Amino acid sequence: MSFAGGGSDLPVFYRRFGGAVVSTAINQFVYVTVNKKFDRNIRVSYARTEEAKSVDRIRHPLVREAMKLLGLGGGIEITSIADIPGKGTGLGSSSSFTVGLLHVLHAYEERHAGAEQLAREACEIEIERCGEPIGKQDQYAAAFGGLNFIRFNPDDSVVVEPIICKRQTLDPNPVQSSDLFTRASRAALRLF
């Protein structure tokens, strides 16, 4: 959730002017698990369940592109559940899913991936490979967590600086800030 600078994380803006947001992660979670499958097929379970014989046949674009990016093949089962709806809330749930998926896939392959790498790869998947008309702040907020000042440079690099403050400053006061779920959703594409 950004408090200032929203929209400056879009390439059309930051490549010309640079951009920055003050952003925080919230305490809602996405859970992604990966398990070796007994056959060579790929099973993906989210709001739907897919069974595919190859990565190219996976319908979920984020799963398909994450597996392609990391060079993974069959014989794998991926499941996910989340505290909030997966699309259209404006809370970065798709980016949180992508970061979580990449994290667990790297771990499954016994590789470490730090926050910067996870955010960068999530941006590549969502923005470049899937063509989503979104910025970069959600991927970096999900990967780094906490309250941060995030700078988007014209050369496409990103700098994340944690904002250090007292614990009581971070504790939400319902009088100061409230988030409401209206059950209305929207697609980022429809905003442009």
Side-chain angles (χ1 to χ4, degrees):
M1 180 180 313
S2 64
F3 297 106
S8 71
D9 65 330
L10 294 165
V12 68
F13 186 89
Y14 72 74
R15 285 182 181 150
R16 187 166 178 199
F17 305 107
V21 296
V22 173
S23 177
T24 189
I26 61 173
N27 66 345
Q28 299 295 299
F29 302 93
V30 60
Y31 305 90
V32 184
T33 62
V34 174
N35 193 38
K36 184 171 175 54
K37 205 163 175 303
F38 58 88
D39 60 23
R40 293 299 306 152
N41 290 339
I42 303 161
R43 185 174 194 271
V44 183
S45 181
Y46 47 104
R48 296 187 177 112
T49 299
E50 297 184 44
E51 196 65 54
K53 293 195 181 295
S54 71
V55 173
D56 286 326
R57 292 184 165 259
I58 297 172
R59 286 186 306 252
H60 194 299
L62 300 174
V63 174
R64 181 183 60 244
E65 295 306 320
M67 290 185 70
K68 283 174 141 180
L69 179 70
L70 300 183
L72 297 174
I76 192 171
E77 180 172 14
I78 301 168
T79 62
S80 71
I81 57 173
D83 293 341
I84 58 174
K87 281 194 173 239
T89 63
L91 293 173
S93 54
S94 294
S95 296
S96 295
F97 170 77
T98 306
V99 167
L101 174 63
L102 286 164
H103 193 211
V104 75
L105 290 174
H106 277 289
Y108 179 75
E109 290 293 300
E110 299 179 354
R111 294 186 301 244
H112 170 76
E116 170 65 32
Q117 179 181 350
L118 292 170
R120 194 174 1 90
E121 289 176 349
C123 288
E124 179 180 338
I125 290 166
E126 289 189 88
I127 299 167
E128 295 171 31
R129 291 175 177 243
C130 293
E132 292 293 331
I134 58 175
K136 293 182 172 184
Q137 70 172 301
D138 292 345
Q139 297 86 348
Y140 280 83
F144 281 85
L147 178 64
N148 297 295
F149 176 73
I150 308 173
R151 203 169 50 247
F152 308 98
N153 298 314
D155 65 359
D156 284 316
S157 65
V158 178
V159 177
V160 179
E161 299 173 35
I163 297 174
I164 309 300
C165 54
K166 293 181 181 176
R167 183 74 195 153
Q168 55 265 42
T169 303
L170 298 176
D171 287 338
N173 179 341
V175 174
Q176 295 172 339
S177 173
S178 293
D179 298 321
L180 305 171
F181 180 50
T182 63
R183 298 201 188 283
S185 66
R186 50 93 180 140
L189 181 61
R190 291 180 38 212
L191 297 178
F192 297 98

